[in-house]
Amino acid sequence: MRIKITTKNIIIVIITLCIGVIILCSYKYYSIPMLPFPLQKNALENALSASGLDWVVAKEEILKDGHVLFWLDNTQGQPSAIVSSLESKDKRILQINFLSSKDPKSNIPQEDWKKAIQLATILYGGFKNSSEVYDNFRQTYNEKAVIDDVPGSLSEFRERIRWENELNDIKCFLGFGVRKKGAGLAEAEFVSIIFSKTKD
């Protein structure tokens, strides 16, 4: 039995294949979904667990429509970070500020930097995987990092390291502070993570 192949059948097959490829590529490219902003407490707790950070949500504050703050404590019960999520008509912003102290236990240790960046990556979404931003940071640090002097004597830091890149149309910023000039990333403290995207 011969199957009659018509132009209409060929067009339907081509369209179906194109749709399938688009769906497959979209899924692969953005395998981390974008969570609704402002973030909900359970979404933050799930992301903390997925990133491997042993922190707890200590406090939640709703500032205004579309803007929520969460205070996170470390395993010693010390305040460690503040997570801010905001969505407006033209922008979507996630900011994580790590609390600095003379007691090094209050700041996030370097062995947890990857986990902290993964936390932000999971919370913001729109990335290939939870390591995409961290891996890109490690690969492009020498090329993209900028070291600035911190003017004035009121700051505990003498230098600031800024790393910025754009991945998947998302602006990614990592900020570090260095107490001793010229010490670089090896002696830096993690200060902040900011992910933002301007809506079309």
Side-chain angles (χ1 to χ4, degrees):
M1 180 180 185
R2 292 186 63 186
I3 299 172
K4 189 176 179 183
I5 299 174
T6 65
T7 305
K8 183 179 176 184
N9 289 346
I10 292 171
I11 292 172
I12 290 171
V13 169
I14 290 171
I15 290 172
T16 305
L17 285 172
C18 288
I19 291 171
V21 168
I22 290 169
I23 290 170
L24 184 63
C25 290
S26 296
Y27 176 76
K28 187 176 179 184
Y29 196 71
Y30 299 108
S31 62
I32 298 181
M34 294 189 103
L35 297 174
F37 272 26
L39 291 167
Q40 300 295 311
K41 183 179 177 184
N42 65 334
L44 177 54
E45 290 171 337
N46 290 340
L48 282 166
S49 177
S51 67
L53 280 171
D54 222 5
W55 294 348
V56 296
V57 177
K59 182 181 170 186
E60 175 182 355
E61 183 179 353
I62 300 170
L63 298 181
K64 57 184 177 180
D65 288 344
H67 192 188
V68 174
L69 295 179
F70 292 97
W71 277 259
L72 305 179
D73 287 356
N74 63 18
T75 52
Q76 290 84 32
Q78 298 167 314
S80 291
I82 300 171
V83 177
S84 167
S85 60
L86 166 67
E87 185 160 23
S88 66
K89 61 182 178 183
D90 59 346
K91 225 167 208 195
R92 175 184 163 90
I93 303 170
L94 172 73
Q95 182 166 352
I96 302 177
N97 291 321
F98 301 100
L99 304 177
S100 183
S101 169
K102 291 183 179 177
D103 178 2
K105 289 181 182 176
S106 295
N107 192 265
I108 180 168
Q110 285 197 22
E111 58 266 24
D112 286 340
W113 285 6
K114 180 176 182 178
K115 294 177 183 177
I117 297 169
Q118 285 178 320
L119 170 67
T121 304
I122 293 166
L123 289 174
Y124 199 88
F127 295 99
K128 295 176 189 175
N129 57 58
S130 63
S131 296
E132 183 179 2
V133 178
Y134 179 79
D135 292 344
N136 188 269
F137 161 66
R138 296 307 297 177
Q139 290 162 8
T140 65
Y141 171 76
N142 291 331
E143 166 195 346
K144 298 236 173 226
V146 176
I147 299 174
D148 298 319
D149 281 337
V150 179
S153 58
L154 296 177
S155 174
E156 60 191 296
F157 299 120
R158 295 294 168 262
E159 287 182 337
R160 180 180 64 177
I161 299 174
R162 296 179 287 119
W163 175 87
E164 296 176 80
N165 206 0
E166 189 168 314
L167 301 169
N168 307 332
D169 297 324
I170 299 167
K171 292 179 182 173
C172 305
F173 170 91
L174 305 179
F176 304 85
V178 185
R179 297 177 194 275
K180 188 169 69 177
K181 276 185 145 189
L185 200 59
E187 294 191 34
E189 283 190 31
F190 213 162
V191 175
S192 63
I193 299 173
I194 304 170
F195 291 168
S196 66
K197 184 171 185 174
T198 303
K199 296 178 182 175
D200 296 331

